[in-house]
Amino acid sequence: MHRHEHDENSAPNQARTVKPTDPNAHLAQGVEGAEPPLEAEGAQDGRRDTTAAGFRSIYETLHFGVKEMGPRRATRTLLKLNQKDGFDCPSCAWPDPDGHRKRAEFCENGAKAVAAEATTRRLTPDILAQHSIPSLLDRRDVELDGMGRLTHPMVRRRGSDRYEAIDWADAFAMIGDHLRALDSPNEAVFYTSGRASNEAAFLYGLFARQFGTNNLPDCSNMCHESSGTGLSEVIGFGKATVRIDDFAAADAIFIIGQNPGTCHPRMLTELQKAVQNGCRIVSINPLMESGLMRFENPQKPLNLLGAATRLACLFVPVRINGDVAVLKGIMKEMLEADERTGGRVLAHDYIAHHTEGFEAFASDIRNESWDRIVEESGVSREMIREAADVAMTSERMICSWAMGITQHKSGVANVQTIVNFALLRGHMGRRGAGVAPIRGHSNVQGDRTVGIWEKMSPEYLACLASEFRFQPPEKHGYDTVCAIEAMHRGQVKVFVGLGGNFLAASPDTNYTSEALQRCALTVQISTKLNRGHLVTGEQALILPCLGRTEIDVRPDGEQFVSVEDTTGVVHMSKGVLEPASEWLLSEPAIIGRMATATLGERTTVDWNALTDNYDRIREHIEHVVPGFTQYNTRVRQPGGFYLPNAPYQGRFNTPSRRARFTVHPIPHHELAPDQLLLTTIRSHDQFNTTVYAENDRYRGISNGRRVVFLNQADMDRLGFVRDQWVDIVSHFESETRRAARFKVVPYQIPPRCAAAYFPETNVLVPIRSVADKSNQPASKSIIVSLEAAPLRPD
C-alpha cells in the first residue's frame, strides 16, 4: 500500500466530545476577533538597521530555522531550497538564476517561510479541541502560526464553538452535499492563494467549471490585478517583459512603489550586480527603505568584511499615490530636453514604428502644470530633474514595481504611466530593458496562467471544452471584492479556499468577517491554523495538505509539481521531507476527491487518474494552455523553461500590434486639515499575512506591530507625540471605520502621509474603495484621521 493512501477515508477522531452550544455564540466576538488583538504594552521604537542582509540576516535565518526545525533538519531542508533538484520557495515569486545556483540559494524571508512550514510542531485534534474558537480569536497571529502544522481534517459542526476531527470521506461527503444542494452553482466561490501549484490550480479551475461556475477569485485580485489589466491594454501582455539576467545588464533601474529588501530580498543580489556594472538605481517611494540604501550580500562572505554596497543613487520621496505626478514630471523634463536638443532625447524612430497615441500623450504632458506636478507628487522640481537626468542618459532601463503602485484607485493608470515612461526611449524588446511587476507570492502568476481567473478568455474556455468534452460556463464569475459582497448579501452559500488566509488578506476586515459568517459552509485547504479558520460559516472544514517541502507519493509513485515565477519561467518543485502527518493529502488529491464527491457520474474527468499521476494533469495543461508544448519533458530539464513573451521579443499583441501611449490625469486626494493619507505596509518579519515575529528591524520596531508612522511636522501640527496611543479612523464617502490603539512613531515619510502594517489596518479599507477597471482594493491610499486613545486597552 502506498504511503498516504491508507489515510484517505479514515482518520482517528482524537478530539474529545464537546457539548453543543449556541451556533452563533461566537459571532459577536467573531467580527471583532477578525482583527488581531490589541497590544497592552505596544511596540518599541529603537535603532533602525540601515543596511540590508549581512551578518544579522545570517543569524536571523539560522536562529529561526533551528528553532522551528532543529539543526539537522534545517540544514537538509534549506540546502534544497530553490535548487534545480529541490523545491521552490513558498514565499515570493522572484526568479531563480538561469545558470549556476549557489549552495544557499535563498534569503532570510524565504528561509523563514520554509522553516514555518517545516516546523516540528504539530497541531493535533486533541490540542485544537482544547481551545474554543473565541479563545483562539484572542491570540495574536504569530501565536496562531506558532501552534504548528495541522495533522488531521477538522470540522466545526453546527452548534459547536470548536473544531473536532473528521474522517476524510465524511469531509468530502459534507462538501459534496452542500454544493449539490445549492440552487445555482454560482452560490459557491472557489478562492485560490498564490501558493497552489500549476497542477492543483488547473484541477481546481476545472472542478469549478465542471460544477458550473467561474467564481474563481484569487489573491492576484488583491495584489497585481491592476498590473495585469494595465499592461494587457497597452502592450498586450500582463507580465514582466524581462528576464533575470536583464537586471545585471541594465544601466538604469527605477524601482517604484516597491520594497525589495523586505518583500523580494533575493532581488537585492541582482541589483548589487547591476550597480557593480555601473547601473544607477532610482527609488521612488514614500518611505526610504533600508533594502535600497545599503546591502551586504550574505552569499559572499568576503564582502561582509568590507563596506556595504550602496544600491539606490537617488531616493525620490513621493507622496502616497503621487506616482503619476512625479512620472509626469520626469517625462515633462524629457520632452522639454528633447525639444531643446532637436530630438536627441526620445527614441523617435521607435515611437514612430512601434507605438501609437504619442501625440495625445505628449500634448497632455506639455500642458501639465509644474505647480500641480510638484504639489501632488510632493517632490521638488530639482529632484524631478535629477531623476530625469538618469532616465535621459540610459540606454537600457528597467522599471519595476509592486503593490505601492497597484493598490490605489488609480492603480491601472499608475501602471500605464510607467509604461509611457519606458516607451519614451524604447526600453522594450532588448537586453537590459523592460517593465517588471514583481509578484509577491510564489505561484500567483502561474495560477492565473493555467486558468484561475473569474473571466478567462473564450479561447481558453473553448480549449477546455474540447479537452474534457463539456461546456464550461461563459458568464464571468466573482473576483475577490465581488465575492465578498455576494457572501455578505447571502448570495453565496459555500466558500472554498485553496490555501492562504482569505480573511486577513481581504479588505474591510469586519465586513469580510460578516460575509464569511453568512455562508452555510466554509472550507479551508491549509497547512497551518490562521485567523481565517476562526471566522467561519455555519459549519466549517479545515482540510490539511502537504506543503512544498514535503514528499508527495501517489499510487503511481512519487510526484512533483511545477510553478511559474515573475519572469515566466515554469520549473519543477519536489519536496524532500516526510509529511508532517500520515493523514495529510496533496492539494491535487484533495481537489480530485472534492470533485468526485460533488460531481459524481456527471463529470467527464477521471479525477483519480489525474491525481494518481500528475504527468496526466500536465498533459492536459499542454493541450489547453498556449506555451506548454512538451510540458512533461521541458519541466524536467534543470531550471525549467520560459513561457512565450512577445514584448520581450519586441512584439505587442494589441489590436494594432503596437504599444500604446495613454493619457491619465494626476490623482488628487482632498484631505481635511486633520486628515492624512495612509498606506498599508509589510514588516520585515512577515510574509503576506503570515507574521513570524513582531519585529521590523529595518524600521527600528520591536515587540509589537500596532504602530503608525508619521512625519514629525504632522505630529507637531496635530498635537501628537512619540509613543502616544491613537485610534486610526478611515473616511470613505459618508462611512468611517476604526482601528484601535496604535503607537505613534516619527518617521521619514512625506507630510500628510502615514503608514501602518497590514493585516492590522485592513479593517480600515472600505470594500467599495477599489481601483478603476481592475476592481483591486485600494489598500494603499486610505484617508484617515487620528484620535487620542486610552492609555490601556479595555
Side-chain angles (χ1 to χ4, degrees):
M1 186 175 289
H2 290 279
R3 187 174 29 178
H4 318 318
E5 285 305 296
H6 68 280
D7 63 313
E8 293 196 2
N9 292 313
S10 60
N13 191 331
Q14 300 181 21
R16 65 184 184 183
T17 302
V18 179
K19 182 179 179 180
T21 60
D22 176 4
N24 296 316
H26 72 292
L27 297 193
Q29 183 166 358
V31 175
E32 296 179 0
E35 302 176 51
L38 304 182
E39 298 169 0
E41 300 298 329
Q44 298 174 1
D45 171 22
R47 188 181 68 84
R48 174 186 181 188
D49 283 7
T50 56
T51 298
F55 283 115
R56 178 67 183 274
S57 180
I58 295 173
Y59 167 78
E60 293 288 344
T61 298
L62 294 175
H63 175 74
F64 193 83
V66 170
K67 181 187 74 170
E68 295 293 329
M69 297 184 285
R72 293 183 61 184
R73 182 179 174 90
T75 301
R76 179 191 175 201
T77 305
L78 293 177
L79 291 181
K80 284 294 186 179
L81 174 55
N82 293 323
Q83 298 299 324
K84 294 178 180 179
D85 62 345
F87 60 91
D88 188 63
C89 181
S91 58
C92 85
W94 183 253
D96 301 315
D98 285 334
H100 172 74
R101 297 187 186 177
K102 300 179 180 67
R103 193 79 176 102
E105 190 61 61
F106 54 84
C107 68
E108 174 189 342
N109 286 10
K112 287 178 177 176
V114 167
E117 178 184 292
T119 181
T120 57
R121 297 173 183 155
R122 300 291 180 261
L123 182 53
T124 58
D126 55 328
I127 295 175
L128 188 54
Q130 295 172 16
H131 305 282
S132 70
I133 289 175
S135 69
L136 290 169
L137 284 166
D138 284 337
R139 297 194 176 201
R140 304 193 313 277
D141 289 350
V142 68
E143 293 177 298
L144 295 175
D145 188 74
M147 295 180 78
R149 285 290 298 277
L150 294 156
T151 62
H152 292 71
M154 304 295 294
V155 60
R156 174 189 173 261
R157 299 189 186 278
R158 185 181 294 108
S160 177
D161 70 344
R162 66 195 66 209
Y163 281 99
E164 60 185 75
I166 185 173
D167 292 346
W168 275 112
D170 291 341
F172 292 127
M174 179 183 288
I175 295 169
D177 289 346
H178 274 81
L179 288 174
R180 288 193 304 273
L182 297 176
D183 293 334
S184 163
N186 291 321
E187 292 182 342
V189 158
F190 299 89
Y191 171 78
T192 309
S193 126
R195 191 201 66 196
S197 65
N198 283 351
E199 293 77 8
F202 182 77
L203 284 191
Y204 198 54
L206 176 61
F207 168 39
R209 293 183 173 103
Q210 284 233 321
F211 180 62
T213 185
N214 281 312
N215 288 346
L216 285 156
D218 67 345
C219 59
S220 187
N221 292 152
M222 296 185 278
C223 60
H224 270 290
E225 198 66 48
S226 294
S227 294
T229 301
L231 290 174
S232 296
E233 286 185 352
V234 296
I235 63 172
F237 188 72
K239 307 177 184 180
T241 69
V242 299
R243 296 183 174 183
I244 188 171
D245 58 3
D246 284 312
F247 285 87
D251 62 13
I253 300 175
F254 279 72
I255 300 174
I256 312 169
Q258 182 192 0
N259 177 15
T262 287
C263 302
H264 314 93
R266 284 201 297 155
M267 183 178 179
L268 301 185
T269 299
E270 302 307 314
L271 297 181
Q272 183 185 50
K273 292 178 187 176
V275 169
Q276 291 170 344
N277 291 338
C279 177
R280 290 181 292 174
I281 296 175
V282 177
S283 171
I284 301 177
N285 200 55
L287 285 76
M288 179 183 284
E289 303 289 7
S290 296
L292 289 173
M293 295 166 65
R294 285 184 293 273
F295 172 57
E296 290 180 340
N297 193 338
Q299 304 279 6
K300 298 181 178 181
L302 292 180
N303 287 6
L304 297 176
L305 303 177
T309 302
R310 182 188 176 192
L311 295 182
C313 69
L314 178 64
F315 169 59
V316 181
V318 66
R319 291 182 61 188
I320 292 170
N321 202 26
D323 306 280
V324 169
V326 74
L327 288 169
K328 275 193 162 185
I330 294 170
M331 292 186 288
K332 189 174 179 71
E333 287 282 1
M334 296 172 72
L335 262 66
E336 291 176 354
D338 188 73
E339 292 167 357
R340 289 195 305 270
T341 60
R344 296 183 180 181
V345 173
L346 306 186
H348 291 282
D349 187 65
Y350 180 89
I351 291 170
H353 290 92
H354 297 282
T355 75
E356 62 181 350
F358 176 74
E359 290 304 325
F361 156 80
S363 175
D364 176 70
I365 294 294
R366 293 187 187 101
N367 292 330
E368 196 65 75
S369 158
W370 271 115
D371 288 342
R372 181 171 172 78
I373 288 170
V374 170
E375 171 64 24
E376 296 296 344
S377 69
V379 180
S380 69
R381 176 82 183 271
E382 292 72 26
M383 184 169 284
I384 291 173
R385 185 178 298 114
E386 194 174 349
D389 286 341
V390 174
M392 287 188 288
T393 55
S394 170
E395 298 299 326
R396 301 175 307 280
M397 183 180 79
I398 292 175
C399 295
S400 76
W401 68 89
M403 289 185 285
I405 285 295
T406 61
Q407 288 187 328
H408 302 277
K409 188 176 190 298
S410 60
V412 172
N414 294 347
V415 169
Q416 293 181 346
T417 301
I418 293 173
V419 174
N420 289 342
F421 178 43
L423 292 176
L424 281 181
R425 286 179 56 82
H427 293 299
M428 288 274 190
R430 51 196 174 91
R431 181 169 169 77
V435 295
I438 308 300
R439 307 288 174 169
H441 209 164
S442 56
N443 199 41
V444 62
Q445 188 163 292
D447 291 348
R448 181 63 62 88
T449 298
V450 301
I452 298 298
W453 196 24
E454 71 278 359
K455 46 186 177 183
M456 289 298 288
S457 69
E459 292 78 12
Y460 174 91
L461 296 177
C463 288
L464 197 70
S466 174
E467 183 72 6
F468 292 102
R469 305 180 311 283
F470 81 108
Q471 185 57 51
E474 297 179 358
K475 180 183 177 182
H476 289 174
Y478 295 134
D479 63 14
T480 294
V481 168
C482 291
I484 295 169
E485 292 175 324
M487 285 189 285
H488 203 273
R489 292 192 301 266
Q491 294 175 339
V492 165
K493 307 293 188 353
V494 176
F495 173 89
V496 184
L498 179 58
N501 186 342
F502 182 80
L503 172 68
S506 296
D508 215 338
T509 310
N510 288 337
Y511 183 93
T512 300
S513 172
E514 294 168 357
L516 287 166
Q517 290 174 98
R518 293 177 183 180
C519 291
L521 176 69
T522 49
V523 181
Q524 305 284 355
I525 303 169
S526 306
T527 57
K528 301 180 81 176
L529 189 71
N530 63 52
R531 195 165 298 277
H533 301 129
L534 306 177
V535 177
T536 75
E538 187 178 4
Q539 297 193 89
L541 287 166
I542 303 175
L543 307 182
C545 63
L546 295 174
R548 287 267 180 89
T549 58
E550 292 170 319
I551 299 168
D552 182 2
V553 176
R554 299 298 299 159
D556 284 7
E558 192 171 321
Q559 304 296 311
F560 68 86
V561 295
S562 55
V563 296
E564 177 187 344
D565 66 31
T566 281
T567 57
V569 176
V570 177
H571 59 94
M572 176 191 300
S573 178
K574 189 173 185 179
V576 298
L577 299 178
E578 289 295 320
S581 163
E582 63 180 320
W583 308 108
L584 302 183
L585 294 178
S586 70
E587 289 177 330
I590 291 172
I591 295 163
R593 293 287 299 276
M594 285 196 301
T596 300
T598 302
L599 302 174
E601 295 183 357
R602 74 182 181 96
T603 185
T604 62
V605 178
D606 186 344
W607 297 96
N608 288 335
L610 296 185
T611 59
D612 285 351
N613 188 327
Y614 302 165
D615 277 356
R616 297 180 184 125
I617 305 174
R618 288 185 283 270
E619 288 173 2
H620 287 300
I621 294 175
E622 177 180 336
H623 299 158
V624 173
V625 185
F628 283 85
T629 305
Q630 296 184 317
Y631 193 176
N632 276 311
T633 299
R634 292 196 293 160
V635 78
R636 285 176 163 85
Q637 298 171 353
F641 61 94
Y642 278 95
L643 290 173
N645 188 326
Y648 178 79
Q649 299 171 326
R651 296 181 289 105
F652 303 107
N653 291 329
T654 60
S656 66
R657 302 302 180 193
R658 293 169 176 251
R660 291 176 51 209
F661 281 94
T662 49
V663 174
H664 301 286
I666 293 175
H668 175 71
H669 297 273
E670 193 66 42
L671 300 179
D674 65 337
Q675 291 179 340
L676 307 167
L677 198 60
L678 175 81
T679 183
T680 61
I681 57 175
R682 185 194 297 183
S683 79
H684 189 63
D685 273 330
Q686 174 182 358
F687 170 67
N688 289 349
T689 59
T690 303
V691 177
Y692 304 123
E694 294 176 326
N695 304 311
D696 187 356
R697 69 177 186 271
Y698 289 168
R699 298 191 182 100
I701 301 300
S702 60
N703 301 318
R705 293 176 49 83
R706 299 184 79 87
V707 297
V708 56
F709 298 102
L710 301 177
N711 183 288
Q712 183 65 58
D714 287 326
M715 291 170 56
D716 296 340
R717 179 176 61 84
L718 298 173
F720 296 114
V721 297
R722 180 193 293 265
D723 288 341
Q724 181 176 351
W725 288 106
V726 297
D727 291 351
I728 308 176
V729 180
S730 69
H731 304 267
F732 178 76
E733 298 177 350
S734 60
E735 305 166 358
T736 60
R737 291 161 176 80
R738 180 178 298 268
R741 289 185 59 77
F742 284 72
K743 264 190 177 181
V744 170
V745 174
Y747 206 77
Q748 186 176 348
I749 188 170
R752 308 297 300 276
C753 295
Y757 298 127
F758 84 94
E760 288 83 354
T761 47
N762 281 0
V763 67
L764 299 170
V765 183
I767 190 67
R768 293 183 293 106
S769 179
V770 295
D772 296 333
K773 294 186 178 180
S774 70
N775 209 40
Q776 180 174 339
S779 302
K780 297 207 182 300
S781 49
I782 311 164
I783 296 176
V784 301
S785 58
L786 306 179
E787 298 177 3
L791 294 178
R792 305 281 295 185
D794 295 337

